[in-house]
Amino acid sequence: MPKPLPPNIPLLGENLLHVLKTHEVEEKELHNMKIGVRALDELTPQEIRDLKLVFDVFDSDLDGNLSLAEVRLALRALGFKTDMDQVHKMATELNKGLVATDFNAFLNFVIDRQGDVRDLHDEIVLGFKHFDLDGTGKVTLANLKKLCRDYKVRIPDSELEEMIQEADTNGDNAVDVEEFVKVMMQTHMYS
C-alpha cells in the first residue's frame, strides 16, 4: 500500500487546476492557425477562413505579415474606406507600432473597422471593384486566377470555381455586384 503524501504537498491535479484558473488563454487553434480569442469571439470560423484568404492574397512576399500598405489594400478590398494615416494609427494601437502586421493583428483591424462602416452598400461595392479587374461589372474565374497569380497565392482552380459557383445565383459563371453584395451580407463581415 502506497504511503500517503504529507498534507502540505499539493496534488498534481490541484496544480494543473490552479494553472488553468490563473493563466488566461489568449489564442486557440483553428484551421491549423493560432487565432486570438477576440477574433474567435467576434468572427465565425468561416469569416476567419475567408479573411485568411484575403490576408494571403495581399501578403506579397509570403512572409506571413502584411506591410501597412498591404493592410490598407486588403481593407480596401474588403470594402473599408481607409487611408494610410488610419492604418498607421490602428497599427500603433493594435500592433504596438510594428510595421509588420500578422494575421491576428489583421483580424483585429477588420473587427475594429466593422463598427466604423457607415454606408454598407457603398463599402461593399468599393470592395467589389478591386476584384473586377477588367471593369466588366463581373468577377470571373479569370479575375480570381490573375489576382492569385499577381499576389503569389496558391489556391486550387477547383476552390476558385467553387467560390464563383457559390456566389453566382443567375448562372452566368461570374459574380456581379449584386451577387457580391449578397454574399458579403450573408457572411456578416459588414454587420
Side-chain angles (χ1 to χ4, degrees), residues 90-178:
M90 285 190 299
T92 301
E93 293 169 5
L94 293 175
N95 209 19
K96 299 174 181 79
L98 299 175
V99 175
T101 300
D102 67 14
F103 182 59
N104 278 299
F106 177 71
L107 291 176
N108 287 329
F109 282 144
V110 171
I111 292 166
D112 287 347
R113 294 299 299 186
Q114 285 179 337
D116 294 345
V117 177
R118 291 176 187 87
D119 187 351
L120 192 56
H121 187 269
D122 288 347
E123 296 284 340
I124 296 172
V125 170
L126 180 64
F128 173 81
K129 290 177 182 177
H130 291 279
F131 291 92
D132 179 16
L133 299 177
D134 46 12
T136 61
K138 296 181 183 286
V139 176
T140 63
L141 181 60
N143 294 140
L144 294 180
K145 285 181 178 181
K146 180 169 179 8
L147 284 167
C148 288
R149 238 184 354 265
D150 290 351
Y151 290 99
K152 297 176 179 72
V153 175
R154 292 186 183 143
I155 300 175
D157 287 356
S158 61
E159 284 187 40
L160 296 174
E161 289 168 1
E162 196 176 303
M163 288 179 199
I164 295 285
Q165 288 174 357
E166 191 173 313
D168 178 24
T169 58
N170 64 9
D172 65 353
N173 292 319
V175 179
D176 60 37
V177 70
E178 290 82 20

Side-chain angles (χ1 to χ4, degrees), residues 3-12 14-15:
K3 287 189 197 176
L5 292 173
N8 61 348
I9 298 178
L11 298 175
L12 177 62
E14 290 173 2
N15 285 341

Side-chain angles (χ1 to χ4, degrees), residues 52 55-68 70-71 95 99-104 151-153:
K52 178 65 172 151
F55 181 90
D56 289 345
V57 165
F58 289 94
D59 181 12
S60 60
D61 58 4
L62 305 173
D63 68 349
N65 292 294
L66 298 182
S67 68
L68 295 183
E70 291 169 332
V71 169
N95 209 19
V99 175
T101 300
D102 67 14
F103 182 59
N104 278 299
Y151 290 99
K152 297 176 179 72
V153 175

Side-chain angles (χ1 to χ4, degrees), residues 37-95:
V37 173
R38 179 179 181 215
L40 291 170
D41 288 344
E42 298 192 35
L43 300 169
T44 67
Q46 178 67 39
E47 289 169 335
I48 292 170
R49 189 191 80 170
D50 292 346
L51 288 168
K52 178 65 172 151
L53 287 172
V54 171
F55 181 90
D56 289 345
V57 165
F58 289 94
D59 181 12
S60 60
D61 58 4
L62 305 173
D63 68 349
N65 292 294
L66 298 182
S67 68
L68 295 183
E70 291 169 332
V71 169
R72 179 178 176 265
L73 289 172
L75 291 174
R76 290 183 64 87
L78 289 169
F80 296 111
K81 291 180 184 173
T82 188
D83 59 36
M84 281 305 291
D85 290 337
Q86 292 170 322
V87 172
H88 186 54
K89 181 180 177 191
M90 285 190 299
T92 301
E93 293 169 5
L94 293 175
N95 209 19

